[in-house]
Amino acid sequence: MTNVSNVLSVLEKQEEVLVKSFHEGSENTTTTVERGKILSRMNRILFDYQIGAETNSSMLGSVLNQKVVLFNPETKQKVLELSYNRFPFLCKVFPKQFVRCVSASSTESQSIGSIQQRIGLSRSCYDVYNSQYEHTYTLILRKSYLRSKIQHRMSEYEILDQNKTNIIGRICPFSTDIERSQYGQATSIKFPQDMTMEMKATLVVAVLVLVCICRNKV
């Protein structure tokens, strides 16, 4: 089993995962940092995650870009990362943003997929590509909860197939979480059938980007 396969093997049999924030912000940091966990439906911790950085070597870089990092929950070693552009004009200059898998045995990283925001559409839309730069899925906004009576930090997205004709998955607020509190925190990702581990990991990182974007709009 390769390093990438070993890192992502926890996602192989998962049909649905939950994104759950456990900590947001810090008194000792100069930027907003969000930490949380990627959980299975059986409440097994698959990854820890962090959005943002506690310290920034470049203030300009922290304004223009945001980093998403996934960690092994046992070793706390970084396994996946993506730096995404926070402004639409940067998405035009650098359209594809790559999810990279960090090898435990070297300092090198390998791209496993990428996401690209579509600019100019009436609804929020993201295309997802595999490591061969082939379009595989599209995420399109179905419903926003940001201005509804029951708010949620994450809008609802549909996962469309390669031809953008069939709904094959969904990204949505975790229902029991909304019932428990007015401002829900958990997000459910229901994967399409036969999705590869690499594409599942890319989709998880894409959802963390959407979580951060929705959070900043509240």
Side-chain angles (χ1 to χ4, degrees):
M1 183 177 286
T2 65
N3 282 326
V4 172
S5 297
N6 187 50
V7 167
L8 304 182
S9 61
V10 293
L11 293 172
E12 184 175 10
K13 296 183 179 180
Q14 303 298 327
E15 297 179 355
E16 179 182 7
V17 299
L18 303 178
V19 177
K20 178 68 176 179
S21 172
F22 287 91
H23 174 80
E24 190 169 350
S26 173
E27 296 180 356
N28 300 319
T29 61
T30 57
T31 59
T32 300
V33 177
E34 175 177 329
R35 297 184 182 89
K37 299 182 184 297
I38 309 300
L39 304 168
S40 72
R41 286 294 275 112
M42 302 301 293
N43 211 35
R44 175 192 174 193
I45 301 174
L46 306 177
F47 298 103
D48 294 329
Y49 77 80
Q50 178 175 307
I51 302 174
E54 295 183 354
T55 59
N56 289 293
S57 57
S58 169
M59 183 60 67
L60 178 61
S62 66
V63 172
L64 298 180
N65 299 283
Q66 186 78 284
K67 180 167 284 190
V68 175
V69 182
L70 269 64
F71 301 89
N72 183 308
E74 297 179 358
T75 66
K76 306 304 179 184
Q77 185 171 24
K78 179 168 62 175
V79 294
L80 292 168
E81 64 179 357
L82 173 141
S83 293
Y84 77 91
N85 303 319
R86 303 180 71 175
F87 295 97
F89 76 90
L90 287 176
C91 294
K92 292 181 179 180
V93 178
F94 307 102
K96 287 189 177 67
Q97 300 171 80
F98 295 92
V99 179
R100 308 197 71 85
C101 185
V102 181
S103 171
S105 59
S106 70
T107 58
E108 297 180 353
S109 60
Q110 177 182 338
S111 174
I112 61 169
S114 59
I115 60 175
Q116 179 176 349
Q117 182 180 7
R118 289 208 209 166
I119 307 298
L121 296 182
S122 58
R123 289 195 291 172
S124 175
C125 183
Y126 291 79
D127 288 323
V128 181
Y129 298 82
N130 61 22
S131 58
Q132 284 75 46
Y133 314 114
E134 299 168 334
H135 174 255
T136 53
Y137 305 102
T138 295
L139 313 180
I140 189 164
L141 179 66
R142 178 179 181 272
K143 184 176 182 180
S144 175
Y145 295 91
L146 299 182
R147 293 184 176 88
S148 63
K149 292 182 180 179
I150 298 181
Q151 288 192 339
H152 193 275
R153 65 200 307 273
M154 177 66 190
S155 298
E156 187 170 340
Y157 282 77
E158 293 172 339
I159 304 173
L160 305 182
D161 62 8
Q162 188 176 27
N163 297 321
K164 308 181 186 69
T165 55
N166 298 312
I167 301 171
I168 56 177
R170 197 175 298 279
I171 301 161
C172 58
F174 187 43
S175 58
T176 57
D177 197 79
I178 285 186
E179 294 166 4
R180 185 166 56 250
S181 64
Q182 182 179 7
Y183 191 75
Q185 292 294 315
T187 299
S188 168
I189 308 172
K190 297 180 181 179
F191 295 120
Q193 292 183 351
D194 302 324
M195 183 179 251
T196 66
M197 295 182 294
E198 291 80 4
M199 285 291 93
K200 288 181 180 179
T202 301
L203 200 59
V204 167
V205 175
V207 169
L208 291 176
V209 171
L210 295 176
V211 163
C212 189
I213 291 173
C214 290
R215 178 193 68 187
N216 292 336
K217 290 182 179 179
V218 175

